[in-house]
Structures are given as structure tokens and as C-alpha cells.
């Protein structure tokens, strides 16, 4: 008899609050699915690991495991790291079938969340407002391309004067370079970290912004975060993953 499991894979952080944010978010998603076995794990920096998560699912009787990445864009974590761990799991549990879901990706609902992060800072006039999206970064060029698509959608949807992108590491314009030019803008600039959780990267951004001593012209917003739009997109991705499982039976 087939027994389905969902294994949620969050990134993991050295900051405990970031891990608790992920767990609370996952717990809010679980009730949307009539799946008896639902467990969480972390890609790195926290436990349980992916293999430990798989072992827990199998110990509860799972014969099919849908691996659900809670990650924003498709980079090496999606294309390399998670598949490598699942190959190890397949070797340990050859009678268990696995699928790996898609990241949250480029989605209209996430565009609305970005706009909400700006609105949280108070009234503004979009066509007199610049936005800077800060991505985590990667050596994978698809990350630059996808964040660029998100920037264009945000600008087109809400009529911002300008929406630009930069990255904390990897390819593309770095945040360290970009932050030096923000005071040159004629418009108010809102910085939005395109990150899900509180962690060292967000703390690093806060520190660098504070060091610049910007006037009120430059505003640091909250992370994209685990809001209702993100929840709805993740639910879509899970439904897609479960449907692919049914279709492959």
C-alpha cells in the first residue's frame, strides 16, 4: 500500500529565530493537505538534515516522499544540493519513491508581497519611488535572470519609477557596489531583501545600510518573508508536486 509523505526543506540558518520562522510557516501549511506524514528538515546549518528527514518519514511508513523546497529561486541548491541528498536517500531506501518539487520561483503573488513590504513603511507615490531588490546570489545565471523578471513585473504592476537588482554574492551587481550609488537617486529608494527569513544575511544588510548614514531618502524594508502570498504559492507548488506523483503512478 502506498503511503505518501511530504518533506519540507527549508534553507536553515545559524540564527535560531530564522529556523523557528521556517518551522512556524511549515506548520501553517500542513493543514492544507490530507497527507498523514508531513515532516520538515533543513538544507544546511540546522537539523534535522534532509537525510534525517527522509529517515523519519520512512520510519512512519512512507513509501512515497514528495520533497518540497522552501526556496525562492532555482539555483544550485535546487539543481545540485537537494538532488544529491535524495540520491543518497534512494540508495538507503530503494523501495521508496521520491519527487522533488519546484522552488517558489517567479509568481504574481510574490510581486504583491514586495509591494506590501514598501507599503508597511508608510505612504509613498510609486512613480516617484525607486526599489532595490537584494537577492541572495548565486553563480547560476538563472538567478540573475529570474530576479530581473521579478523586478520588471514589480515595476510594471505598480508603476514604480525604477526597480533595480543586486546580489549579496555570486554573479551580477553586488550590494556593496550598489549601496554606494543610492544617494544619487532623485527619488526615495526602498531596499527590499529578497529573502524569506531572519538570518545573518539580513543582519549584514542592516549593518551596511546603517554604516552609510543615509537620510530618510533611503528606507530599508523587511524581508519578503513568510507571508500569506508566500504560503499560497507554496501550496500551489505542493499541489503540483503531488499531482506529478499521481501522474507517474
Amino acid at each position: 500500500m502506498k503511503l505518501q509523505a511530504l518533506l519540507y526543506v527549508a534553507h536553515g540558518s545559524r540564527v535560531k529565530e530564522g529556523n523557528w520562522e521556517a518551522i512556524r510557516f511549515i506548520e501553517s501549511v500542513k493543514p492544507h493537505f490530507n497527507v498523514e506524514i508531513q515532516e520538515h528538515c533543513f538544507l544546511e546549518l540546522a537539523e534535522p538534515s534532509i537525510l534525517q528527514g527522509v529517515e523519519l518519514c520512512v520510519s512512519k511508513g512512507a513509501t512515497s516522499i514528495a520533497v518540497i523546497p522552501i526556496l525562492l529561486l532555482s539555483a544550485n541548491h535546487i539543481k545540485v544540493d537537494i538532488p544529491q541528498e535524495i540520491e543518497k536517500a534512494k540508495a538507503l531506501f530503494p523501495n521508496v519513491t521520491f519527487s522533488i518539487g519546484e522552488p517558489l520561483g517567479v509568481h504574481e503573488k510574490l510581486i504583491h508581497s514586495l509591494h506590501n513590504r514598501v507599503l508597511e513603511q508608510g505612504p509613498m507615490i510609486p512613480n516617484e519611488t525607486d526599489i532595490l531588490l537584494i537577492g541572495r546570489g548565486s553563480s547560476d545565471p538563472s538567478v540573475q535572470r529570474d530576479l530581473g523578471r521579478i523586478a520588471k513585473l514589480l515595476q510594471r504592476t505598480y508603476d514604480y519609477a525604477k526597480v533595480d537588482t543586486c546580489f549579496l554574492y555570486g554573479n551580477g551587481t553586488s550590494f556593496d557596489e550598489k549601496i554606494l550609488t543610492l544617494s544619487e537617486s532623485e527619488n526615495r529608494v526602498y531596499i527590499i531583501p529578497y529573502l524569506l527569513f531572519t538570518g545573518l544575511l539580513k543582519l549584514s544588510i542592516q549593518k551596511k545600510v546603517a554604516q552609510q548614514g543615509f537620510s530618510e531618502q533611503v528606507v530599508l524594508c523587511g524581508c519578503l518573508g513568510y507571508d500569506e502570498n508566500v504560503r499560497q504559492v507554496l501550496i500551489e507548488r505542493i499541489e503540483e508536486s503531488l499531482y506529478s506523483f499521481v501522474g507517474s503512478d
Side-chain angles (χ1 to χ4, degrees):
M1 184 180 104
K2 174 179 172 179
L3 190 55
Q4 180 69 58
L6 290 174
L7 179 61
Y8 300 87
V9 183
H11 186 280
S13 173
R14 291 186 179 89
V15 178
K16 288 184 178 180
E17 178 55 30
N19 297 327
W20 281 113
E21 284 179 18
I23 293 169
R24 287 193 294 267
F25 176 67
I26 291 166
E27 290 300 319
S28 76
V29 172
K30 286 181 179 181
H32 291 270
F33 296 94
N34 185 25
V35 177
E36 183 178 344
I37 303 170
Q38 298 190 59
E39 301 294 339
H40 73 268
C41 63
F42 295 97
L43 182 61
E44 58 186 9
L45 305 176
E47 290 188 337
S49 67
I50 292 176
L51 281 179
Q52 289 170 333
V54 169
E55 289 169 355
L56 184 54
C57 290
V58 173
S59 73
K60 293 185 174 184
T63 59
S64 296
I65 300 177
V67 179
I68 308 299
I70 308 177
L71 300 171
L72 287 168
L73 300 174
S74 182
N76 288 336
H77 285 329
I78 293 286
K79 297 176 181 178
V80 178
D81 299 335
I82 293 176
Q84 283 181 346
E85 292 304 298
I86 297 308
E87 286 303 311
K88 296 175 187 176
K90 288 178 179 178
L92 290 171
F93 305 105
N95 296 323
V96 177
T97 57
F98 294 87
S99 73
I100 302 176
E102 295 295 322
L104 297 174
V106 180
H107 197 292
E108 180 182 356
K109 288 181 179 176
L110 302 185
I111 303 304
H112 300 326
S113 287
L114 292 171
H115 182 62
N116 289 339
R117 298 296 83 77
V118 176
L119 293 179
E120 288 168 353
Q121 304 301 316
M124 56 85 202
I125 302 172
N127 61 13
E128 297 177 5
T129 300
D130 291 352
I131 305 293
L132 177 63
L133 298 179
I134 309 175
R136 178 184 295 272
S138 172
S139 59
D140 189 326
S142 69
V143 171
Q144 285 176 260
R145 182 183 67 241
D146 287 347
L147 194 63
R149 288 174 61 199
I150 289 165
K152 288 178 181 177
L153 278 170
L154 180 61
Q155 184 173 17
R156 186 164 67 237
T157 303
Y158 288 104
D159 196 31
Y160 286 110
K162 180 180 180 182
V163 181
D164 209 348
T165 64
C166 64
F167 299 89
L168 295 172
Y169 58 83
N171 296 334
T173 305
S174 73
F175 178 53
D176 288 342
E177 294 173 314
K178 204 70 182 175
I179 197 172
L180 299 176
T181 68
L182 296 184
S183 59
E184 299 170 6
S185 175
E186 295 180 357
N187 296 320
R188 202 171 194 195
V189 182
Y190 290 79
I191 302 172
I192 310 176
Y194 201 68
L195 304 169
L196 283 173
F197 58 85
T198 302
L200 294 180
L201 294 180
K202 173 65 185 302
L203 297 176
S204 172
I205 293 169
Q206 288 176 329
K207 182 177 179 180
K208 289 177 180 179
V209 170
Q211 287 173 341
Q212 292 298 314
F214 289 121
S215 66
E216 293 182 358
Q217 182 198 7
V218 177
V219 180
L220 177 60
C221 302
C223 294
L224 176 69
Y226 296 106
D227 70 3
E228 180 58 29
N229 287 319
V230 174
R231 183 179 296 105
Q232 291 301 320
V233 176
L234 181 62
I235 288 168
E236 283 187 36
R237 297 292 177 255
I238 296 170
E239 289 171 344
E240 292 165 1
S241 187
L242 290 174
Y243 178 78
S244 72
F245 243 143
V246 171
S248 64
D249 284 349

